């Protein structure tokens, strides 16, 4: 069972558990949170892996990408999360610099998880 650091859903920052330790999230929430992080990551932002993330600066912001391209880029980012074997993105809104929607991911265990972004 994979764990990840639990992030506050509003601030997207670390959370402490009742004992004052950094809290962890377990599956399936851990997978959902990791997918949301992958979709939020701008390509080049992670200094340890500059190829990870969505090419927002290169192909989205200041451009007029098709919704199909944007959905594909988000699905590709979701598929980089271990245990995710299928991803289907839906764009709800793309106005200015804000993209909102969701991606349904299916894990290798056959669990389908909805993830909002």
């Amino acid at each position: 069972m994979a764990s990840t650091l639990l992030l506050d859903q509003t601030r997207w920052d670390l959370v402490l558990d009742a004992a004052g330790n950094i809290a962890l999230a377990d599956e399936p929430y851990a997978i959902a949170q990791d997918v949301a992080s992958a979709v939020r990551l701008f390509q080049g932002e992670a200094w340890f892996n500059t190829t990870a993330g969505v090419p927002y600066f290169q192909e989205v912001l200041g451009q007029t990408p098709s919704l199909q391209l944007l959905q594909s880029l988000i699905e590709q980012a979701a598929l980089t999360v271990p245990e995710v074997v299928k991803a289907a993105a839906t764009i709800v809104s793309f106005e200015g610099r804000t993209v909102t929607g969701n991606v349904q991911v299916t894990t290798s265990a056959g669990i389908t998880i909805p993830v909002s972004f």
Side-chain angles (χ1 to χ4, degrees):
M1 179 179 271
S3 293
T4 193
L5 299 175
L6 181 64
L7 299 176
D8 177 273
Q9 292 181 9
T10 304
R11 298 175 307 176
W12 216 248
D13 199 359
L14 297 176
V15 175
L16 299 180
D17 64 15
N21 299 312
I22 295 174
L24 297 176
D26 293 319
E27 291 182 10
Y29 184 81
I31 293 172
Q33 181 179 278
D34 288 347
V35 168
S37 292
V39 169
R40 290 175 177 221
L41 180 65
F42 280 58
Q43 192 173 58
E45 185 177 31
W47 60 269
F48 55 87
N49 183 356
T50 57
T51 62
V54 177
Y56 288 113
F57 287 127
Q58 299 89 338
E59 297 184 38
V60 179
L61 297 174
Q63 312 292 321
T64 51
S66 68
L67 288 182
Q68 292 84 4
L69 174 61
L70 190 52
Q71 287 171 323
S72 175
L73 294 171
I74 289 168
E75 290 166 357
Q76 289 172 34
L79 289 169
T80 65
V81 175
E83 301 300 319
V84 173
V85 296
K86 184 178 176 187
T90 302
I91 306 299
V92 174
S93 173
F94 180 25
E95 295 185 27
R97 296 176 53 109
T98 305
V99 177
T100 57
N102 60 67
V103 58
Q104 295 275 11
V105 295
T106 304
T107 69
S108 58
I111 300 169
T112 299
I113 307 167
V115 180
S116 296
F117 55 86

